[in-house]
Amino acid sequence: VWTVPVAGGEETRVLGPVGGIQFAVVVDGIYFIESGPPGYVGGNSLKFFSFAKGTAEKIFDIKYSPTIGLSVSPDSRYVLFAQSDPFVQDLMLVENFR
């Protein structure tokens, strides 16, 4: 995510990288998902970049891999995102099956 002066000039990196449309701009900042290392379960987190402070702080850790998209309610009380839970398989033995 970059910022560019309205009157023109050089762009400046604000935060990132942020991929998969995993950010939402609100009145006082930007909520975004920071991804952990590829193939690693965990390490993802929801963060908030404050326009006033110019810094990002972690809101909470996300256990599984987040997917495309992020939405924040107008009052910034709720955040909605999708995540991919790990695929799990079970092997069962059924005795006396007919």
Side-chain angles (χ1 to χ4, degrees):
V1 177
W2 298 73
T3 182
V4 179
V6 175
E10 197 151 330
E11 65 269 3
T12 306
R13 184 173 164 174
V14 176
L15 60 97
V18 177
I21 315 170
Q22 295 177 315
F23 66 94
V25 180
V26 295
V27 173
D28 54 345
I30 303 171
Y31 286 91
F32 65 100
I33 294 176
E34 184 174 78
S35 298
Y40 174 72
V41 176
N44 304 302
S45 58
L46 176 69
K47 292 190 171 185
F48 177 72
F49 176 82
S50 168
F51 293 143
K53 295 178 185 176
T55 59
E57 63 181 64
K58 182 169 38 174
I59 306 298
F60 67 88
D61 291 320
I62 300 171
K63 186 174 181 181
Y64 299 117
S65 298
T67 59
I68 295 174
L70 174 71
S71 184
V72 179
S73 65
D75 62 2
S76 295
R77 291 184 61 204
Y78 302 98
V79 174
L80 177 68
F81 66 91
Q83 70 179 19
S84 297
D85 290 345
F87 185 72
V88 178
Q89 298 178 4
D90 290 326
L91 179 61
M92 302 173 110
L93 172 64
V94 179
E95 296 181 323
N96 301 320
F97 180 78
R98 294 181 190 209

